[in-house]
Amino acid sequence: MERTQLRRQVALTRQSLFDQGFLDEQFIQLEDLQDDANPNFVEEVVTLYYRDSARLITNIEKALEKNSLDFNKLDGFMHQFKGSSSSIGAKKVKAECTLFREYCRAGNGEG
Amino acid sequence: MENGFSSPRNDSFPAGLRVLVVDDDPTWLKILEKMLKKCSYEVTTCGLARDALSLLRERKGGYDIVISDVYMPDMDGFKLLEHVGLEMDLPVIMMSVDGETSRVMKGVQHGACDYLLKPIRMKELRNIWQHVFRKKIHEVRDIEILEGIEFQMTRNGSDQYEDGHFLCGEDLTLIKKRKDIESRHDEKDIGDNSSSKKARVVWSVELHQKFVKAVNQIGFDKVGPKKILDLMNVPRLTRENVASHLQKYRLYLSRLQKENDFNNPVGMIKQSDSPSSDSNGNFGSQNSINLQDASNGCYGFSGSSLGVHNVDPRNHDGDRKRLVTAPVAEPKRGVTIDPPNPSKPRNSQMEFGHPLAPPQSEVNFARFDFSFPTKYPWCGVPETQLKQEHNPLHLNDGFSRQPMPGQKQLSRADHPQPAPAISSATSSTERQTGCPVKIKPSHNDYTSNANHASAVDSTPLQTKTNMTDHQAVQENQGLNMNCLADLESPRKNINLGTLPFATLDEDLQVCFVAGDYYMNLGLQNIEVQEYFDPGLLTGVPTHLDDGLRFDYEIYDPTEYSLIDQSLFI
């Protein structure tokens, strides 16, 4: 019973993520890749993503703390982040990255 | 490689395709690995471009296709792409989040088979085998064509190639000729071609050197797979192997040339490579330049007298080109045959056609080929070459200044050798470099770019009248094309020593390109490519250096020596 309930919860959460635009079809692709040989594939990938992006975010924060923003570097970080997020289908993150990059290009520190 | 292909592919192509994935993002590596495994491919992942290159080199023929990301921390994806294409001639697929047209165009220009956008879908990956297949087919076809062409040549004598187009490294020409040849192909014995599935031959350094030597001996203009094969006298080598290798070599040369010339619109760059765009932009980015140089270099050789355009001060690129073109025109070829007589041949060579006149470039080429063998200080050269990039312009300037535009070219021509050989320049170089190398010496002096000097040095090409520079050069790299020194008298003008390095670099670079090219072929390393640049570019070194440098890292000095040999041909 609990299991079913949990499963239902998971399914709902997952669906909401899609609805809210947090995830896109890439995530589905990942799910398709999961099979018996790698039952936890998606989990592994997402974990990997979190670890990698945590590191990236730290770098970004450090770069943002500086007085004079190095937009090129930030742009580079964003590109990386964008790539990573697209790998798991993190749509919203990717969109934010794009926006961030626009600001970088414009030299908009406030943005 | 025959071994590589046969087993996995026989049963159910494309299953078992051996893919190498290069990407700095671990998440993507994992995803791609899983996707590819689902397609029943054999996957190897790599987080660094450097590692990827060494992996590829270690196991030549161990992979069928390479998939690489564009933005990587240690090496630019495009550069990796070039290296792979030149050294191993594997199909490479680029991928990136960025799908802008300009980027995609750049990818294609650098030789990518395909450009995928991230996020990548499974279905896109399923079809990558078509690139492998396509390449195989083309290889066989090219060989046949080349064979046909060669056949034609032998039958018709030299008229054809003298036209210049025949042997032009340019693909265009080849393609045109191909059609012609094909039509008259009947008598040609295509037996060899049909036999195969060409076994993939690994072009080891020694083999490449032999190849370069043979090419130089024959004379770049007259070169044909059969002749080369005979000269090389390697038992298991087939004409197809040689033909395809030759084609690649030419491409490389022309690309290098193009890079050099990219500034110069001179016809030199005939190569289809987008030299101009690349070169210009790339000038800094060694890759393109190298290519240009290569292309330029090719030009020179192809005999299509690119018009060794006088070394105008214009960008070194132009110079490079000039060198390249020049060689062709001149009968220098004859020179190449000369044994590296240090003292004498050089002069003759350099002077061949035009004592300093643009033909020099040709001469240089001719000369390089064989003269360099000794010179190949490649080892040393590559480094310098990279430096050359810095000075890319230097060379040109240097050259342009030189009264002898041709000289510059000579320097270029020499460079092929100079690159690694230059170090050996001690005596042998003299001969060869006489022309091109000379420039280098001057460059070395210039070494305006400290780097260049080194790079330039390596490329003995230093046009500096080798003699004088020769020493200088040698210091730098040993490349001292001292050989050039001999020739130098006219060259001395070029002696870049006075001239800005840049000019020399260019010229040198041009030379190198040719030289490098050979080397690369033999070496199969990307490094070889590098050589060209440095050598040629002595002036240009800056850009080349970068490009070259990168490669050089991998390049071991030992290889250089080998290259020298081959280059010298």
Side-chain angles (χ1 to χ4, degrees), chain A residues 20-59:
Chain A
Q20 293 180 52
F22 281 113
L23 293 178
D24 58 18
E25 58 275 355
Q26 175 67 10
F27 195 72
I28 301 182
Q29 289 252 325
L30 287 191
E31 289 179 334
D32 289 343
L33 283 179
Q34 184 160 298
D35 55 13
D36 296 336
N38 285 67
N40 300 326
F41 179 69
V42 183
E43 181 193 338
E44 289 168 7
V45 174
V46 179
T47 313
L48 205 53
Y49 169 71
Y50 279 147
R51 210 180 313 148
D52 193 46
S53 52
R55 176 186 58 90
L56 201 53
I57 291 178
T58 319
N59 286 346

Side-chain angles (χ1 to χ4, degrees), chain B residues 498-527:
Chain B
T498 54
L499 298 174
F501 257 95
T503 45
L504 284 175
D505 290 341
E506 288 195 347
D507 291 336
L508 289 178
Q509 298 220 313
V510 173
C511 302
F512 270 117
V513 174
D516 287 335
Y517 190 79
Y518 289 115
M519 295 210 341
N520 287 327
L521 292 182
L523 297 182
Q524 294 254 324
N525 306 320
I526 302 186
E527 307 186 31

Side-chain angles (χ1 to χ4, degrees), chain B residues 424-444:
Chain B
S424 44
T426 47
S427 47
S428 46
T429 54
E430 301 202 84
R431 350 172 247 116
Q432 308 158 351
T433 52
C435 307
V437 175
K438 297 215 270 191
I439 307 201
K440 288 269 192 132
S442 26
H443 286 302
N444 291 322

Side-chain angles (χ1 to χ4, degrees), chain B residues 226-459:
Chain B
K226 180 137 180 44
K227 289 194 187 160
I228 300 178
L229 186 64
D230 294 341
L231 267 178
M232 283 174 71
N233 196 17
V234 170
R236 285 166 303 110
L237 202 59
T238 70
R239 235 177 350 169
E240 289 94 357
N241 299 137
V242 176
S244 72
H245 195 66
L246 174 65
Q247 190 184 22
K248 281 191 251 179
Y249 187 63
R250 289 211 186 105
L251 263 178
Y252 176 76
L253 288 177
S254 65
R255 253 197 295 184
L256 282 175
Q257 172 100 33
K258 268 199 270 194
E259 285 189 357
N260 288 335
D261 294 341
F262 70 71
N263 292 335
N264 295 323
V266 185
M268 310 235 327
I269 311 208
K270 291 199 201 169
Q271 303 257 342
S272 35
D273 297 345
S274 45
S276 47
S277 49
D278 285 344
S279 38
N280 292 322
N282 291 326
F283 210 78
S285 53
Q286 301 135 15
N287 293 331
S288 32
I289 301 200
N290 294 332
L291 289 181
Q292 283 217 318
D293 290 338
S295 48
N296 290 336
C298 293
Y299 280 102
F301 290 123
S302 345
S304 38
S305 37
L306 286 183
V308 178
H309 311 299
N310 324 253
V311 186
D312 324 334
R314 15 177 223 187
N315 343 353
H316 32 278
D317 290 340
D319 289 335
R320 282 206 271 193
K321 285 209 276 194
R322 289 198 285 186
L323 290 181
V324 177
T325 50
V328 178
E330 310 222 300
K332 321 256 195 109
R333 301 286 162 195
V335 182
T336 52
I337 303 195
D338 295 325
N341 302 322
S343 48
K344 181 194 116 131
R346 288 214 299 191
N347 293 318
S348 51
Q349 296 174 339
M350 304 241 328
E351 318 243 301
F352 327 123
H354 328 294
L356 290 180
Q360 304 224 328
S361 42
E362 287 187 347
V363 172
N364 295 330
F365 271 122
R367 295 208 304 167
F368 302 131
D369 298 331
F370 59 119
S371 35
F372 270 115
T374 56
K375 302 246 260 169
Y376 294 135
W378 289 98
C379 304
V381 175
E383 318 266 331
T384 50
Q385 299 201 333
L386 291 175
K387 309 251 181 129
Q388 294 191 329
E389 301 198 329
H390 317 305
N391 297 319
L393 299 179
H394 297 290
L395 278 179
N396 292 322
D397 300 15
F399 289 116
S400 36
R401 305 279 192 112
Q402 305 281 4
M404 335 253 282
Q407 292 202 333
K408 283 219 264 193
Q409 305 190 326
L410 291 178
S411 49
R412 294 288 176 103
D414 291 339
H415 45 260
Q417 309 164 347
I422 307 204
S423 27
S424 44
T426 47
S427 47
S428 46
T429 54
E430 301 202 84
R431 350 172 247 116
Q432 308 158 351
T433 52
C435 307
V437 175
K438 297 215 270 191
I439 307 201
K440 288 269 192 132
S442 26
H443 286 302
N444 291 322
D445 295 356
Y446 280 96
T447 44
S448 42
N449 301 311
N451 304 328
H452 283 296
S454 46
V456 170
D457 291 332
S458 12
T459 51

Side-chain angles (χ1 to χ4, degrees), chain A residues 26 29-30 32-33 35 38 41 44-45 48-49 52 79-80 82-84 86-88 94, chain B residues 24-28 30-31 34-35 38 69 71 96-98 100 118-123:
Chain A
Q26 175 67 10
Q29 289 252 325
L30 287 191
D32 289 343
L33 283 179
D35 55 13
N38 285 67
F41 179 69
E44 289 168 7
V45 174
L48 205 53
Y49 169 71
D52 193 46
H79 182 91
Q80 255 185 296
K82 188 171 170 201
S84 293
S86 66
S87 71
I88 65 161
K94 194 161 79 152
Chain B
D24 60 329
D25 190 340
T27 318
W28 269 117
K30 193 161 173 71
I31 297 182
K34 194 70 181 13
M35 282 188 179
K38 269 247 155 126
D69 185 30
Y71 296 104
S96 177
V97 183
D98 178 7
E100 270 177 49
K118 284 181 175 177
I120 302 189
R121 313 271 172 71
M122 266 290 285
K123 45 188 157 185

Side-chain angles (χ1 to χ4, degrees), chain B residues 197-212:
Chain B
K197 174 102 187 196
K198 281 180 330 155
R200 197 112 6 133
V201 169
V202 176
W203 281 89
S204 66
V205 176
E206 298 90 1
L207 206 56
H208 180 66
Q209 282 187 340
K210 266 197 188 160
F211 170 81
V212 181

